[in-house]
Amino acid sequence: MKSTTLTHKGKRKVNQDVILTSNINPDTYLYLVADGMGGYDKGEVAAQIAAESILTFLSNIDEITKETIQKSINKANLAIRQCQEENHTKMGTTLGAVILSKGIAKCFWIGDVKILHYSDSKLIFESKSHNLLNEVSNSKLLKENFNTSKYSHIVTRSIQGDVKKSVMSYQELMIKEKDELIICSDGVHNIIDSQTILFLMNKEKTFTSFIDELNKRLEIEANDNASLIYVS
């Protein structure tokens, strides 16, 4: 499978998103988007630390499992906490990633970076973001008087030095030939949702025209940092 990446800083002064695509070994690929948290110091540094820490850990173990992936996130937490203590600052990042090997995609995420799986021109899987809206989606508060627009942007899990707040969600997917995967920060899926992406996939006749259309929309519409990895 091949991958393409897009990233835009939107109307922000700095792009705090980090994209990583790498071979862990000849048969295993890591695709990762880390979204440095706005409102914190040096979100791009936290995103880079997390991405590199996870890659380093996973590249040096015998077997990649749900448990060892969580351990890699815990290592990233430690590295970010050490950086915070050394620099007397607060930083954090959300993250979404896919480890692809032999037709199996091991997907994991913390926060609101989305993972999408398309097959046979249909949306097969969409990750559920860790945000306040989803946390209270079944409560009376949401039904009575809840600002869904505001609280969908408040993340409830992230990598920011506290292991308890960075428990990942995990999903394994079977990937067939011609299936498509997208990993994208909230700067993308807030303006181009999963169904709109599906519409563009079906509308555009070639891979290049699909990517060009996504890129054009992000250039025009993105307010926040907006980054994605497209794997096909």
Side-chain angles (χ1 to χ4, degrees):
M1 301 185 85
K2 61 182 179 180
S3 66
T4 299
T5 64
L6 297 175
T7 188
H8 296 275
K9 70 176 183 178
K11 294 182 172 60
R12 305 290 189 184
K13 293 180 180 180
V14 176
N15 191 343
Q16 296 183 314
D17 289 352
V18 169
I19 293 175
L20 185 151
T21 64
S22 179
N23 282 78
I24 294 177
N25 61 52
D27 296 321
T28 306
Y29 302 85
L30 173 65
Y31 304 101
L32 182 151
V33 174
D35 181 355
M37 294 173 70
Y40 283 35
D41 296 326
K42 301 184 184 300
E44 70 279 11
V45 175
Q48 191 68 48
I49 289 172
E52 292 177 356
S53 180
I54 289 169
L55 174 61
T56 298
F57 185 90
L58 294 177
S59 298
N60 289 282
I61 58 175
D62 295 329
E63 185 179 6
I64 297 175
T65 64
K66 180 179 179 180
E67 290 71 28
T68 55
I69 293 170
Q70 184 63 60
K71 285 182 179 179
S72 76
I73 293 165
N74 295 345
K75 290 287 187 181
N77 250 307
L78 177 60
I80 287 176
R81 184 165 72 242
Q82 290 173 337
C83 186
Q84 289 180 134
E85 292 170 352
E86 290 169 2
N87 295 279
H88 306 287
T89 188
K90 189 174 183 181
M91 62 177 68
T93 185
T94 60
L95 181 146
V98 173
I99 299 167
L100 187 60
S101 179
K102 299 177 181 178
I104 297 176
K106 297 177 180 179
C107 309
F108 60 99
W109 63 98
I110 302 144
D112 55 4
V113 174
K114 286 242 181 191
I115 300 170
L116 308 170
H117 174 208
Y118 298 92
S119 182
D120 298 325
S121 300
K122 296 177 183 178
L123 176 64
I124 303 300
F125 171 78
E126 177 174 357
S127 61
K128 188 174 183 179
S129 296
H130 301 130
N131 59 36
L132 192 56
L133 175 62
N134 287 332
E135 292 284 340
V136 300
S137 60
N138 295 319
S139 73
K140 291 182 179 179
L141 181 62
L142 177 63
K143 296 174 183 177
E144 292 174 359
N145 193 19
F146 200 75
N147 187 329
T148 57
S149 175
K150 178 180 178 180
Y151 290 103
S152 64
H153 297 291
I154 299 176
V155 295
T156 53
R157 298 189 204 179
S158 61
I159 306 175
Q160 55 174 311
D162 185 346
V163 173
K164 294 179 182 178
K165 294 182 179 178
S166 62
V167 177
M168 70 175 185
S169 288
Y170 178 85
Q171 181 72 40
E172 286 194 10
L173 305 171
M174 298 297 294
I175 305 300
K176 302 183 300 182
E177 189 178 355
K178 297 184 180 180
D179 280 10
E180 297 160 298
L181 293 166
I182 288 180
I183 310 164
C184 59
S185 62
D186 65 329
V188 175
H189 63 74
N190 282 339
I191 58 174
I192 310 175
D193 63 22
S194 58
Q195 292 299 327
T196 302
I197 289 174
L198 178 60
F199 171 78
L200 294 174
M201 282 179 174
N202 293 333
K203 172 176 172 285
E204 301 298 331
K205 295 182 178 179
T206 66
F207 164 82
T208 301
S209 63
F210 168 64
I211 293 299
D212 287 346
E213 181 63 23
L214 277 182
N215 194 45
K216 182 167 63 176
R217 287 200 56 174
L218 292 176
E219 283 182 337
I220 296 170
E221 300 177 39
N223 292 312
D224 197 0
N225 302 157
S227 302
L228 68 84
I229 302 173
Y230 172 63
V231 184
S232 63

